[in-house]
Amino acid sequence: MGARGVFITLEGADGCGKSTQAALLETRLAALGREVVRLREPGGTAISEKVRALLLDPANEEMSPECELLLYEASRAQLTRQVIEPALARGAVVLCDRYYDSTYAYQAGGRGLDETLVRQSNVLGSCGRVPDRTLVLDLDPATAFARATSGGADRMEAEGLAFQERVRAAYLRLANEEPTRVRVVDASGAEGEVTARLLGSLEDLVPGAER
Ligand SMILES: Nc1ncnc2c1ncn2[C@@H]1O[C@H](COP(=O)(O)OP(=O)(O)OP(=O)(O)O)[C@@H](O)[C@H]1O
Ligand SMILES: [Mg+2]
């Protein structure tokens, strides 16, 4: 094993700016000469995108919490095996917009599914792969919710503000549990300010990121 990539995940409640920052980080990290593979969850492979459509379709409101959990894990396992592992093996920086911490925050934190069950499911869905760094974009839930729903809420976003508060609390618990991997980054302010904070939290893994 010569090349060893860097696996970075972006997390946080709906509308905190993950997708915006993923695109900005891709540009900045690619400018360092790194191959950057930017992905979003659920999705990123043909199979995973089909699962994504099932999960986000408002017509599937009868979906049980267990079914939802397993669909997220199914999508993740395919993405991990088909895209993430090969990219890391060739030395790429993998930038994933949500990964298994979302499942913990939403299914265990938000919906109240059994934590142990969700953690075990996450091990299966991620094929045992652990991100090198997880950046939690933290924003006042009311502001994030207003941003997220400005274009019309999808099924997840229709859960409301109390749900988003539970999601945020779950992310903060993870950061307490795993302070080396999980870093909370202030997501308020202008896009460029947030990007600078995120890059600062990557300097140890991607030399030059902070410049
Ligand atoms: N720093 C910022 N200041 C103001 N608005 C922002 C900022 N960053 C992102 N936005 C806007 O907020 C909205 C949500 O941002 P974005 O889609 O990146 O969030 P997200 O975390 O990916 O949301 P979701 O969880 O729903 O995918 C977008 O309309 C985006 O343009
Ligand atoms: Mg997004």
Side-chain angles (χ1 to χ4, degrees):
M1 287 288 288
R4 173 70 179 95
V6 183
F7 185 19
I8 300 162
T9 61
L10 290 172
E11 294 285 354
D14 297 313
C16 66
K18 296 176 296 298
S19 301
T20 302
Q21 293 300 325
L24 294 168
L25 286 175
E26 179 183 25
T27 304
R28 291 290 297 267
L29 297 173
L32 298 173
R34 300 295 299 251
E35 179 196 356
V36 181
V37 176
R38 175 158 61 99
L39 304 166
R40 69 163 183 189
E41 259 221 343
T45 73
I47 291 168
S48 306
E49 289 292 337
K50 286 181 183 169
V51 177
R52 178 189 179 91
L54 280 174
L55 284 164
L56 297 185
D57 185 349
N60 288 338
E61 63 175 12
E62 76 271 32
M63 186 180 289
S64 76
E66 293 79 8
C67 177
E68 181 179 63
L69 172 64
L70 291 170
L71 285 174
Y72 276 111
E73 302 297 358
S75 168
R76 178 167 304 138
Q78 188 62 32
L79 179 69
T80 302
R81 290 294 194 214
Q82 190 178 333
V83 180
I84 295 174
E85 289 182 344
L88 292 174
R90 62 175 189 267
V93 175
V94 175
L95 204 53
C96 201
D97 184 346
R98 296 191 179 284
Y99 199 57
Y100 63 69
D101 297 306
S102 283
T103 304
Y104 176 81
Y106 284 76
Q107 269 63 43
R111 294 203 197 294
L113 279 187
D114 181 78
E115 266 200 44
T116 305
L117 212 59
V118 171
R119 287 179 191 269
Q120 288 171 340
S121 302
N122 277 342
V123 174
L124 179 62
S126 60
C127 308
R129 179 70 53 178
V130 178
D132 296 303
R133 179 70 29 87
T134 296
L135 303 169
V136 174
L137 279 71
D138 190 50
L139 191 61
D140 153 57
T143 309
F145 189 66
R147 282 189 195 173
T149 53
S150 62
D154 70 16
R155 197 169 66 84
M156 294 300 295
E157 289 160 353
E159 299 284 349
L161 196 55
F163 181 86
Q164 298 296 335
E165 298 270 13
R166 293 199 298 279
V167 168
R168 184 193 199 193
Y171 278 126
L172 297 179
R173 281 200 302 278
L174 287 176
N176 260 318
E177 273 175 34
E178 296 179 71
T180 303
R181 175 175 75 88
V182 183
R183 305 284 170 87
V184 177
V185 177
D186 177 9
S188 68
E191 289 178 7
E193 293 175 305
V194 180
T195 307
R197 289 181 203 126
L198 294 170
L199 288 166
S201 297
L202 293 174
E203 176 65 31
D204 59 325
L205 292 176
V206 187
E210 203 167 9
R211 256 183 287 121

PDB file of all heavy atoms in Angstrom, residues 33-59:
ATOM      1  N   GLY A  33      -3.031  20.397  -5.757  1.00  0.00           N
ATOM      2  CA  GLY A  33      -2.521  19.312  -6.588  1.00  0.00           C
ATOM      3  C   GLY A  33      -3.056  17.947  -6.202  1.00  0.00           C
ATOM      4  O   GLY A  33      -2.590  16.928  -6.714  1.00  0.00           O
ATOM      5  N   ARG A  34      -4.055  17.931  -5.315  1.00  0.00           N
ATOM      6  CA  ARG A  34      -4.628  16.651  -4.899  1.00  0.00           C
ATOM      7  C   ARG A  34      -5.765  16.249  -5.815  1.00  0.00           C
ATOM      8  O   ARG A  34      -6.502  17.102  -6.305  1.00  0.00           O
ATOM      9  CB  ARG A  34      -5.183  16.756  -3.464  1.00  0.00           C
ATOM     10  CG  ARG A  34      -4.177  17.132  -2.400  1.00  0.00           C
ATOM     11  CD  ARG A  34      -3.114  16.078  -2.201  1.00  0.00           C
ATOM     12  NE  ARG A  34      -3.621  14.776  -1.778  1.00  0.00           N
ATOM     13  CZ  ARG A  34      -3.448  14.260  -0.557  1.00  0.00           C
ATOM     14  NH1 ARG A  34      -2.802  14.946   0.366  1.00  0.00           N
ATOM     15  NH2 ARG A  34      -3.905  13.055  -0.266  1.00  0.00           N
ATOM     16  N   GLU A  35      -5.910  14.949  -6.038  1.00  0.00           N
ATOM     17  CA  GLU A  35      -7.142  14.467  -6.667  1.00  0.00           C
ATOM     18  C   GLU A  35      -8.238  14.546  -5.612  1.00  0.00           C
ATOM     19  O   GLU A  35      -8.072  14.022  -4.506  1.00  0.00           O
ATOM     20  CB  GLU A  35      -7.008  13.010  -7.136  1.00  0.00           C
ATOM     21  CG  GLU A  35      -8.306  12.504  -7.765  1.00  0.00           C
ATOM     22  CD  GLU A  35      -8.387  10.981  -7.909  1.00  0.00           C
ATOM     23  OE1 GLU A  35      -7.410  10.281  -7.601  1.00  0.00           O
ATOM     24  OE2 GLU A  35      -9.467  10.511  -8.329  1.00  0.00           O
ATOM     25  N   VAL A  36      -9.330  15.220  -5.919  1.00  0.00           N
ATOM     26  CA  VAL A  36     -10.438  15.339  -4.975  1.00  0.00           C
ATOM     27  C   VAL A  36     -11.652  14.621  -5.552  1.00  0.00           C
ATOM     28  O   VAL A  36     -12.053  14.867  -6.687  1.00  0.00           O
ATOM     29  CB  VAL A  36     -10.785  16.808  -4.685  1.00  0.00           C
ATOM     30  CG1 VAL A  36     -11.926  16.900  -3.672  1.00  0.00           C
ATOM     31  CG2 VAL A  36      -9.567  17.560  -4.170  1.00  0.00           C
ATOM     32  N   VAL A  37     -12.219  13.725  -4.770  1.00  0.00           N
ATOM     33  CA  VAL A  37     -13.444  13.029  -5.171  1.00  0.00           C
ATOM     34  C   VAL A  37     -14.553  13.534  -4.262  1.00  0.00           C
ATOM     35  O   VAL A  37     -14.566  13.258  -3.063  1.00  0.00           O
ATOM     36  CB  VAL A  37     -13.277  11.499  -5.037  1.00  0.00           C
ATOM     37  CG1 VAL A  37     -14.579  10.779  -5.361  1.00  0.00           C
ATOM     38  CG2 VAL A  37     -12.156  11.004  -5.951  1.00  0.00           C
ATOM     39  N   ARG A  38     -15.461  14.319  -4.859  1.00  0.00           N
ATOM     40  CA  ARG A  38     -16.551  14.903  -4.060  1.00  0.00           C
ATOM     41  C   ARG A  38     -17.814  14.064  -4.250  1.00  0.00           C
ATOM     42  O   ARG A  38     -18.238  13.823  -5.376  1.00  0.00           O
ATOM     43  CB  ARG A  38     -16.807  16.351  -4.472  1.00  0.00           C
ATOM     44  CG  ARG A  38     -18.004  16.963  -3.749  1.00  0.00           C
ATOM     45  CD  ARG A  38     -17.962  18.481  -3.730  1.00  0.00           C
ATOM     46  NE  ARG A  38     -17.977  19.084  -5.044  1.00  0.00           N
ATOM     47  CZ  ARG A  38     -19.071  19.590  -5.627  1.00  0.00           C
ATOM     48  NH1 ARG A  38     -20.240  19.534  -5.013  1.00  0.00           N
ATOM     49  NH2 ARG A  38     -18.992  20.143  -6.818  1.00  0.00           N
ATOM     50  N   LEU A  39     -18.393  13.652  -3.138  1.00  0.00           N
ATOM     51  CA  LEU A  39     -19.559  12.775  -3.171  1.00  0.00           C
ATOM     52  C   LEU A  39     -20.645  13.324  -2.272  1.00  0.00           C
ATOM     53  O   LEU A  39     -20.374  14.114  -1.379  1.00  0.00           O
ATOM     54  CB  LEU A  39     -19.169  11.384  -2.653  1.00  0.00           C
ATOM     55  CG  LEU A  39     -18.016  10.706  -3.379  1.00  0.00           C
ATOM     56  CD1 LEU A  39     -17.509   9.528  -2.567  1.00  0.00           C
ATOM     57  CD2 LEU A  39     -18.463  10.256  -4.768  1.00  0.00           C
ATOM     58  N   ARG A  40     -21.883  12.862  -2.508  1.00  0.00           N
ATOM     59  CA  ARG A  40     -22.947  13.226  -1.577  1.00  0.00           C
ATOM     60  C   ARG A  40     -23.696  11.960  -1.185  1.00  0.00           C
ATOM     61  O   ARG A  40     -23.828  11.023  -1.963  1.00  0.00           O
ATOM     62  CB  ARG A  40     -23.920  14.227  -2.191  1.00  0.00           C
ATOM     63  CG  ARG A  40     -24.748  13.618  -3.307  1.00  0.00           C
ATOM     64  CD  ARG A  40     -25.954  14.426  -3.649  1.00  0.00           C
ATOM     65  NE  ARG A  40     -26.704  13.700  -4.683  1.00  0.00           N
ATOM     66  CZ  ARG A  40     -27.727  14.212  -5.327  1.00  0.00           C
ATOM     67  NH1 ARG A  40     -28.118  15.430  -5.077  1.00  0.00           N
ATOM     68  NH2 ARG A  40     -28.372  13.488  -6.232  1.00  0.00           N
ATOM     69  N   GLU A  41     -24.152  11.978   0.045  1.00  0.00           N
ATOM     70  CA  GLU A  41     -24.913  10.847   0.561  1.00  0.00           C
ATOM     71  C   GLU A  41     -26.339  11.253   0.865  1.00  0.00           C
ATOM     72  O   GLU A  41     -26.545  12.356   1.396  1.00  0.00           O
ATOM     73  CB  GLU A  41     -24.259  10.372   1.863  1.00  0.00           C
ATOM     74  CG  GLU A  41     -23.400   9.169   1.705  1.00  0.00           C
ATOM     75  CD  GLU A  41     -23.615   8.226   2.869  1.00  0.00           C
ATOM     76  OE1 GLU A  41     -24.164   8.646   3.898  1.00  0.00           O
ATOM     77  OE2 GLU A  41     -23.269   7.078   2.746  1.00  0.00           O
ATOM     78  N   PRO A  42     -27.348  10.410   0.640  1.00  0.00           N
ATOM     79  CA  PRO A  42     -27.201   9.158  -0.098  1.00  0.00           C
ATOM     80  C   PRO A  42     -27.017   9.439  -1.582  1.00  0.00           C
ATOM     81  O   PRO A  42     -27.586  10.385  -2.100  1.00  0.00           O
ATOM     82  CB  PRO A  42     -28.516   8.430   0.182  1.00  0.00           C
ATOM     83  CG  PRO A  42     -29.500   9.512   0.497  1.00  0.00           C
ATOM     84  CD  PRO A  42     -28.716  10.624   1.118  1.00  0.00           C
ATOM     85  N   GLY A  43     -26.202   8.642  -2.241  1.00  0.00           N
ATOM     86  CA  GLY A  43     -25.979   8.799  -3.677  1.00  0.00           C
ATOM     87  C   GLY A  43     -24.562   8.441  -4.054  1.00  0.00           C
ATOM     88  O   GLY A  43     -23.865   7.758  -3.311  1.00  0.00           O
ATOM     89  N   GLY A  44     -24.133   8.884  -5.235  1.00  0.00           N
ATOM     90  CA  GLY A  44     -22.747   8.711  -5.641  1.00  0.00           C
ATOM     91  C   GLY A  44     -22.448   7.502  -6.500  1.00  0.00           C
ATOM     92  O   GLY A  44     -21.352   7.394  -7.046  1.00  0.00           O
ATOM     93  N   THR A  45     -23.390   6.574  -6.592  1.00  0.00           N
ATOM     94  CA  THR A  45     -23.308   5.481  -7.563  1.00  0.00           C
ATOM     95  C   THR A  45     -24.707   5.351  -8.161  1.00  0.00           C
ATOM     96  O   THR A  45     -25.683   5.883  -7.607  1.00  0.00           O
ATOM     97  CB  THR A  45     -22.938   4.113  -6.924  1.00  0.00           C
ATOM     98  OG1 THR A  45     -24.068   3.621  -6.181  1.00  0.00           O
ATOM     99  CG2 THR A  45     -21.734   4.221  -6.001  1.00  0.00           C
ATOM    100  N   ALA A  46     -24.824   4.614  -9.272  1.00  0.00           N
ATOM    101  CA  ALA A  46     -26.138   4.466  -9.911  1.00  0.00           C
ATOM    102  C   ALA A  46     -27.139   3.837  -8.937  1.00  0.00           C
ATOM    103  O   ALA A  46     -28.281   4.299  -8.793  1.00  0.00           O
ATOM    104  CB  ALA A  46     -26.007   3.624 -11.184  1.00  0.00           C
ATOM    105  N   ILE A  47     -26.686   2.807  -8.220  1.00  0.00           N
ATOM    106  CA  ILE A  47     -27.572   2.130  -7.260  1.00  0.00           C
ATOM    107  C   ILE A  47     -27.930   3.071  -6.113  1.00  0.00           C
ATOM    108  O   ILE A  47     -29.098   3.208  -5.718  1.00  0.00           O
ATOM    109  CB  ILE A  47     -26.889   0.848  -6.717  1.00  0.00           C
ATOM    110  CG1 ILE A  47     -26.779  -0.211  -7.823  1.00  0.00           C
ATOM    111  CG2 ILE A  47     -27.643   0.296  -5.509  1.00  0.00           C
ATOM    112  CD1 ILE A  47     -25.878  -1.392  -7.478  1.00  0.00           C
ATOM    113  N   SER A  48     -26.909   3.760  -5.597  1.00  0.00           N
ATOM    114  CA  SER A  48     -27.133   4.640  -4.445  1.00  0.00           C
ATOM    115  C   SER A  48     -28.061   5.804  -4.783  1.00  0.00           C
ATOM    116  O   SER A  48     -28.829   6.263  -3.933  1.00  0.00           O
ATOM    117  CB  SER A  48     -25.787   5.175  -3.929  1.00  0.00           C
ATOM    118  OG  SER A  48     -24.886   4.111  -3.664  1.00  0.00           O
ATOM    119  N   GLU A  49     -27.986   6.288  -6.025  1.00  0.00           N
ATOM    120  CA  GLU A  49     -28.870   7.387  -6.430  1.00  0.00           C
ATOM    121  C   GLU A  49     -30.332   6.911  -6.510  1.00  0.00           C
ATOM    122  O   GLU A  49     -31.259   7.672  -6.223  1.00  0.00           O
ATOM    123  CB  GLU A  49     -28.434   7.977  -7.780  1.00  0.00           C
ATOM    124  CG  GLU A  49     -27.122   8.771  -7.720  1.00  0.00           C
ATOM    125  CD  GLU A  49     -27.194  10.095  -6.932  1.00  0.00           C
ATOM    126  OE1 GLU A  49     -28.306  10.641  -6.780  1.00  0.00           O
ATOM    127  OE2 GLU A  49     -26.141  10.557  -6.463  1.00  0.00           O
ATOM    128  N   LYS A  50     -30.525   5.651  -6.909  1.00  0.00           N
ATOM    129  CA  LYS A  50     -31.894   5.107  -6.927  1.00  0.00           C
ATOM    130  C   LYS A  50     -32.444   5.003  -5.506  1.00  0.00           C
ATOM    131  O   LYS A  50     -33.614   5.283  -5.245  1.00  0.00           O
ATOM    132  CB  LYS A  50     -31.919   3.740  -7.612  1.00  0.00           C
ATOM    133  CG  LYS A  50     -31.760   3.838  -9.122  1.00  0.00           C
ATOM    134  CD  LYS A  50     -31.806   2.470  -9.766  1.00  0.00           C
ATOM    135  CE  LYS A  50     -31.576   2.591 -11.266  1.00  0.00           C
ATOM    136  NZ  LYS A  50     -31.358   1.283 -11.898  1.00  0.00           N
ATOM    137  N   VAL A  51     -31.582   4.596  -4.587  1.00  0.00           N
ATOM    138  CA  VAL A  51     -32.008   4.518  -3.185  1.00  0.00           C
ATOM    139  C   VAL A  51     -32.307   5.923  -2.658  1.00  0.00           C
ATOM    140  O   VAL A  51     -33.276   6.135  -1.924  1.00  0.00           O
ATOM    141  CB  VAL A  51     -30.931   3.816  -2.328  1.00  0.00           C
ATOM    142  CG1 VAL A  51     -31.342   3.798  -0.865  1.00  0.00           C
ATOM    143  CG2 VAL A  51     -30.689   2.395  -2.823  1.00  0.00           C
ATOM    144  N   ARG A  52     -31.482   6.891  -3.052  1.00  0.00           N
ATOM    145  CA  ARG A  52     -31.715   8.272  -2.634  1.00  0.00           C
ATOM    146  C   ARG A  52     -33.110   8.755  -3.046  1.00  0.00           C
ATOM    147  O   ARG A  52     -33.824   9.381  -2.258  1.00  0.00           O
ATOM    148  CB  ARG A  52     -30.666   9.195  -3.262  1.00  0.00           C
ATOM    149  CG  ARG A  52     -30.863  10.661  -2.906  1.00  0.00           C
ATOM    150  CD  ARG A  52     -29.944  11.581  -3.710  1.00  0.00           C
ATOM    151  NE  ARG A  52     -30.171  12.970  -3.373  1.00  0.00           N
ATOM    152  CZ  ARG A  52     -29.511  13.632  -2.410  1.00  0.00           C
ATOM    153  NH1 ARG A  52     -28.581  13.034  -1.725  1.00  0.00           N
ATOM    154  NH2 ARG A  52     -29.790  14.882  -2.146  1.00  0.00           N
ATOM    155  N   ALA A  53     -33.475   8.427  -4.292  1.00  0.00           N
ATOM    156  CA  ALA A  53     -34.783   8.867  -4.790  1.00  0.00           C
ATOM    157  C   ALA A  53     -35.908   8.271  -3.945  1.00  0.00           C
ATOM    158  O   ALA A  53     -36.897   8.953  -3.635  1.00  0.00           O
ATOM    159  CB  ALA A  53     -34.923   8.467  -6.260  1.00  0.00           C
ATOM    160  N   LEU A  54     -35.755   7.012  -3.529  1.00  0.00           N
ATOM    161  CA  LEU A  54     -36.753   6.374  -2.658  1.00  0.00           C
ATOM    162  C   LEU A  54     -36.852   7.100  -1.315  1.00  0.00           C
ATOM    163  O   LEU A  54     -37.941   7.350  -0.798  1.00  0.00           O
ATOM    164  CB  LEU A  54     -36.344   4.925  -2.354  1.00  0.00           C
ATOM    165  CG  LEU A  54     -36.619   3.840  -3.377  1.00  0.00           C
ATOM    166  CD1 LEU A  54     -35.972   2.537  -2.893  1.00  0.00           C
ATOM    167  CD2 LEU A  54     -38.116   3.653  -3.558  1.00  0.00           C
ATOM    168  N   LEU A  55     -35.705   7.440  -0.759  1.00  0.00           N
ATOM    169  CA  LEU A  55     -35.665   8.063   0.567  1.00  0.00           C
ATOM    170  C   LEU A  55     -36.252   9.467   0.571  1.00  0.00           C
ATOM    171  O   LEU A  55     -36.868   9.883   1.551  1.00  0.00           O
ATOM    172  CB  LEU A  55     -34.217   8.110   1.070  1.00  0.00           C
ATOM    173  CG  LEU A  55     -33.668   6.774   1.566  1.00  0.00           C
ATOM    174  CD1 LEU A  55     -32.149   6.812   1.667  1.00  0.00           C
ATOM    175  CD2 LEU A  55     -34.276   6.417   2.916  1.00  0.00           C
ATOM    176  N   LEU A  56     -36.044  10.202  -0.503  1.00  0.00           N
ATOM    177  CA  LEU A  56     -36.453  11.606  -0.498  1.00  0.00           C
ATOM    178  C   LEU A  56     -37.831  11.832  -1.110  1.00  0.00           C
ATOM    179  O   LEU A  56     -38.345  12.951  -1.083  1.00  0.00           O
ATOM    180  CB  LEU A  56     -35.407  12.463  -1.226  1.00  0.00           C
ATOM    181  CG  LEU A  56     -34.018  12.476  -0.577  1.00  0.00           C
ATOM    182  CD1 LEU A  56     -33.096  13.458  -1.301  1.00  0.00           C
ATOM    183  CD2 LEU A  56     -34.074  12.823   0.906  1.00  0.00           C
ATOM    184  N   ASP A  57     -38.458  10.789  -1.643  1.00  0.00           N
ATOM    185  CA  ASP A  57     -39.757  10.940  -2.304  1.00  0.00           C
ATOM    186  C   ASP A  57     -40.871  11.163  -1.265  1.00  0.00           C
ATOM    187  O   ASP A  57     -41.129  10.293  -0.430  1.00  0.00           O
ATOM    188  CB  ASP A  57     -40.044   9.665  -3.110  1.00  0.00           C
ATOM    189  CG  ASP A  57     -41.320   9.790  -3.935  1.00  0.00           C
ATOM    190  OD1 ASP A  57     -42.083  10.765  -3.729  1.00  0.00           O
ATOM    191  OD2 ASP A  57     -41.543   8.911  -4.780  1.00  0.00           O
ATOM    192  N   PRO A  58     -41.520  12.320  -1.293  1.00  0.00           N
ATOM    193  CA  PRO A  58     -42.591  12.601  -0.315  1.00  0.00           C
ATOM    194  C   PRO A  58     -43.733  11.581  -0.400  1.00  0.00           C
ATOM    195  O   PRO A  58     -44.492  11.416   0.567  1.00  0.00           O
ATOM    196  CB  PRO A  58     -43.096  13.992  -0.709  1.00  0.00           C
ATOM    197  CG  PRO A  58     -42.031  14.577  -1.572  1.00  0.00           C
ATOM    198  CD  PRO A  58     -41.340  13.426  -2.245  1.00  0.00           C
ATOM    199  N   ALA A  59     -43.861  10.881  -1.527  1.00  0.00           N
ATOM    200  CA  ALA A  59     -44.917   9.875  -1.671  1.00  0.00           C
ATOM    201  C   ALA A  59     -44.661   8.654  -0.783  1.00  0.00           C
ATOM    202  O   ALA A  59     -45.571   7.861  -0.539  1.00  0.00           O
ATOM    203  CB  ALA A  59     -45.024   9.436  -3.139  1.00  0.00           C
TER     204      ALA A  59
END
